[in-house]
Every structure is written in structure tokens, then in C-alpha cells.
Amino acid sequence: MVRRKDKQRRMSLGSHLRELRIRLSWSAGFIVLGTVAGWFLFDPVFAFLQQPLLEVTKARGIEAIVNFGTVVSAFDLRIQVSIFLGVIITAPFWLYNVWAFVAPGLKTKEKRFSLGFIFTSVPLFLSGAYLAWSSLPSFVVVLIGFTPEGSSNVISASEYVLFAIRILLVFGLAFVMPVLLVLLNFANLLTGAAILKGWRLAVFIIAFVSALATPTADPMSMFLLMAPLSFLYFVAVGVSVLNDKRRARREAKLLAEEPSIE
């Protein structure tokens, strides 16, 4: 009997490994296809990312050009951006494969929390990325403004593009963090009171992250990220506190319904 159970366990592990290999293969295939598409989308994306720089330099009369410093730098940048675009474009497909592998081991409640996290995080990530994009010209104005009068600013294309992408990603991920707090609360790992208790540390961390994410010394640029992050943090606190009260009422009701032992 023990040998039969061990065999079934080994077969179950083998089937899980085969499923993982299949899901990874599909995900890798989608990312490769997305990378090929990203290769052809590089030119419009590069023009899109370069637009704030061109607008600012033209409006301010500053001489600044995007430069490819080596023979292979243009090719290297195209490869990097293509892979990045491939991961972003095919995100729904490889995320589905990750979900399809993990979902069978989740309970109904855990599935509901996970789906809620995904559907809430996506618009918040896009909102953060949009805020970063709208703030990018102000970053460029401040940074280009340090160029001495009478000189030209020759900007490395790879550094500029990766700088713009990094800003978009940091802003987007920062907007998702409050949702993670709510997810931990709904999973009964963190109470709303515990989240609220650390509000001073949270505001400090938000200010620190905002200072790192905004590459300028302009306080307004830092405030553009700090204000919505602080607002989302306290929204997460409110949602968590309400959920704790709902959970406490439900537990009290269950205790009241239990038959008393004489």
C-alpha cells in the first residue's frame, strides 16, 4: 500500500513537471513571437520615447541630439527594446500560462483574490506609467538644463531609452504596491490596524522611493509621485480596515450560530 502511494506521488510530481515544461514552452514561444513583433515596432517606439526630448530641446532652444556611440550600439538597443516589447505585448498570454499552472492548486477564495489582484493591478500600473510619461518632459527639462551655455548635449541613445523605460516601470510598479497590501490583508496575513500603525514608515518609504524614481532635484516632480502613492496607501488602509470589520462580524455570527455545549 505504501509503495503504491509513493508511486502515485511520483507520478503526480512527474505530471506537474510536464505541465510546467509545457507552460514554460508556450510562454517562451509567445515571448519570442512578441520579440519579433517588437523588432518591427522599434522605430515608432523609439520615436515615441524620443518625442519629449525633441519637444523640450526645440522649445527651449537647447542643442541636444540622441547619439549612437558605437557601431553595434544601435543593434544592441534594438535587441533590448525588442525583448522588452515582446514581454509587454505577450503579457496576457504568458500570465495566463502562469495562472493555468498555479490555479489548480488554489482554493476558490484564493483564486478570487488572485484575479482581483490582477484586474486591479493592471489599470493602476498603466496609470503610473501614464503619469511617468506625462512627467518625462519635466525631467528632461531639468536634466538638460544643466548643460553649460554654448555647449551641446550629446545623449547616448541606449542610456536615454533605458532611462525612459526605467522611469515608466518604476512609476507603474509603485502604483501596484498598495494593491499588494490589500491582497495580504484579504489573505489574512496582515490586518488593517497593522498597516495603519506603520503609516509614518510607509510615508517615509514613499518619499524615499519617489526621490529615487524622480531623477531631478525638482520637489514638484517628487510630489507628482508621492501624492498619489500616499493616497493609494491610505485607500488600501481603509479597504483593509473595512475587510477586517466584515471578517470579525462573520466570525461573531458563526460563533453565535454554534450550538452551546451543556
Side-chain angles (χ1 to χ4, degrees):
M1 181 65 68
V2 175
R3 185 178 301 174
R4 181 178 299 176
K5 289 182 179 180
D6 291 340
K7 184 177 179 179
Q8 289 176 352
R9 187 178 295 112
R10 287 196 299 269
M11 290 178 63
S12 177
L13 177 61
S15 64
H16 281 302
L17 292 176
R18 284 193 296 272
E19 178 70 13
L20 177 62
R21 185 175 66 251
I22 292 172
R23 294 299 177 184
L24 289 177
S25 298
W26 276 105
S27 299
F30 282 122
I31 291 175
V32 169
L33 291 176
T35 301
V36 173
W39 177 275
F40 294 101
L41 291 173
F42 172 80
D43 290 330
V45 169
F46 182 72
F48 178 76
L49 293 175
Q50 195 180 8
Q51 181 182 353
L53 175 64
L54 297 178
E55 291 179 353
V56 168
T57 53
K58 182 179 180 181
R60 300 260 173 164
I62 301 172
E63 186 178 354
I65 60 172
V66 175
N67 178 60
F68 292 94
T70 64
V71 176
V72 298
S73 59
F75 178 76
D76 288 342
L77 179 62
R78 196 179 191 105
I79 290 291
Q80 295 177 43
V81 175
S82 298
I83 295 174
F84 173 78
L85 291 175
V87 173
I88 296 298
I89 292 172
T90 60
F93 301 101
W94 57 261
L95 283 176
Y96 167 77
N97 279 280
V98 172
W99 170 257
F101 177 74
V102 175
L106 298 178
K107 299 178 182 178
T108 303
K109 186 177 181 180
E110 294 170 339
K111 290 181 181 179
R112 188 163 61 246
F113 291 163
S114 301
L115 289 174
F117 175 76
I118 292 173
F119 288 123
T120 308
S121 299
V122 170
L124 283 176
F125 179 86
L126 294 177
S127 299
Y130 176 77
L131 177 62
W133 172 250
S134 61
S135 305
L136 192 58
S138 65
F139 299 159
V140 173
V141 167
V142 175
L143 295 175
I144 294 296
F146 288 103
T147 304
E149 186 177 353
S151 59
S152 300
N153 196 329
V154 180
I155 303 170
S156 169
S158 61
E159 290 181 1
Y160 175 75
V161 171
L162 295 179
F163 157 78
I165 291 176
R166 184 167 61 250
I167 293 297
L168 296 177
L169 288 177
V170 169
F171 271 61
L173 292 175
F175 270 57
V176 175
M177 293 307 296
V179 184
L180 182 59
L181 292 177
V182 174
L183 180 65
L184 293 174
N185 174 261
F186 273 71
N188 206 16
L189 298 176
L190 197 62
T191 64
I195 299 175
L196 181 59
K197 186 178 180 180
W199 72 269
R200 293 180 181 84
L201 178 61
V203 172
F204 173 78
I205 293 175
I206 289 172
F208 182 73
V209 171
S210 301
L212 292 179
T214 52
T216 67
D218 181 14
M220 191 61 188
S221 299
M222 177 179 170
F223 180 77
L224 284 174
L225 181 58
M226 186 175 176
L229 283 181
S230 300
F231 172 75
L232 289 174
Y233 168 77
F234 286 106
V235 168
V237 170
V239 172
S240 299
V241 169
L242 291 176
N243 182 60
D244 289 341
K245 292 181 178 179
R246 179 189 61 82
R247 185 186 294 123
R249 287 195 301 267
R250 185 181 59 189
E251 291 177 354
K253 183 179 178 181
L254 291 176
L255 287 174
E257 292 176 351
E258 288 183 357
S260 57
I261 301 176
E262 297 294 341

